[in-house]
């Protein structure tokens, strides 16, 4: 079965950095758009960023976060810099088929999801 597993979360002080990793089995990331989403307590799941299967990426946090893909390792990463307590959330990676630009921020467009990894940013 297709399975995604996130790792790299933890506790970090404000202003610090973390790199989250997403590993996949039974699917090849290079053939998917891979997005990152996050969900804070009491909040809806929100779009963080995406790396497109044909290249290119985008994010929703004004350049502090960067998504990259390593096809040789079949891994996708979320580099998070200048973290703030507002970034505290469970972070999920998700894979979907080739998506239109208007679809990449919509969680319903992603078919495969990881279990999430907790990121906690202290002040």
């Amino acid at each position: 079965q297709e399975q995604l597993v996130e790792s790299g979360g933890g506790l970090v002080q404000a202003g610090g950095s973390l790199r989250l990793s997403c590993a996949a089995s039974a699917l090849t990331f290079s053939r998917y758009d891979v997005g990152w989403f996050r969900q804070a307590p009491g909040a809806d799941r929100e779009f963080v960023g995406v790396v497109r299967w044909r290249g290119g990426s985008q994010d929703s946090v004004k350049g502090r976060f960067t998504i990259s893909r390593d096809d040789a390792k079949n891994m996708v990463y979320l580099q998070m810099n200048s973290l703030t307590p507002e970034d505290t959330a469970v972070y999920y990676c998700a894979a979907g088929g080739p998506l239109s630009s208007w679809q990449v921020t919509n969680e319903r467009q992603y078919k495969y999801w990881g279990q999430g990894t907790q990121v906690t940013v202290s002040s």
Side-chain angles (χ1 to χ4, degrees):
Q1 293 182 345
E2 297 85 355
Q3 183 175 359
L4 278 59
V5 179
E6 303 94 337
S7 62
L11 177 65
V12 64
Q13 293 183 344
S17 299
L18 282 175
R19 187 179 71 167
L20 306 184
S21 300
C22 181
S25 60
L27 65 81
T28 302
F29 274 145
S30 63
R31 298 183 179 182
Y32 292 85
D33 291 341
V34 181
W36 285 91
F37 294 79
R38 66 185 181 184
Q39 188 167 25
D44 294 333
R45 190 175 299 177
E46 65 174 334
F47 172 78
V48 174
V50 63
V51 59
R52 309 300 298 274
W53 77 281
R54 287 189 170 183
S57 63
Q58 63 186 76
D59 65 77
S60 64
V61 289
K62 301 184 183 299
R64 293 191 296 115
F65 294 1
T66 302
I67 295 178
S68 61
R69 185 181 67 219
D70 187 335
D71 291 339
K73 297 180 179 179
N74 200 32
M75 298 281 289
V76 170
Y77 304 98
L78 175 64
Q79 178 67 46
M80 305 186 294
N81 299 324
S82 301
L83 288 164
T84 72
E86 288 69 40
D87 295 317
T88 295
V90 177
Y91 284 72
Y92 301 87
C93 66
L99 303 176
S100 301
S101 59
W102 65 269
Q103 294 178 309
V104 298
T105 62
N106 186 346
E107 63 178 309
R108 295 173 59 187
Q109 304 301 317
Y110 294 82
K111 182 177 296 184
Y112 308 108
W113 290 81
Q115 83 290 344
T117 185
Q118 176 71 47
V119 172
T120 303
V121 184
S122 65
S123 59

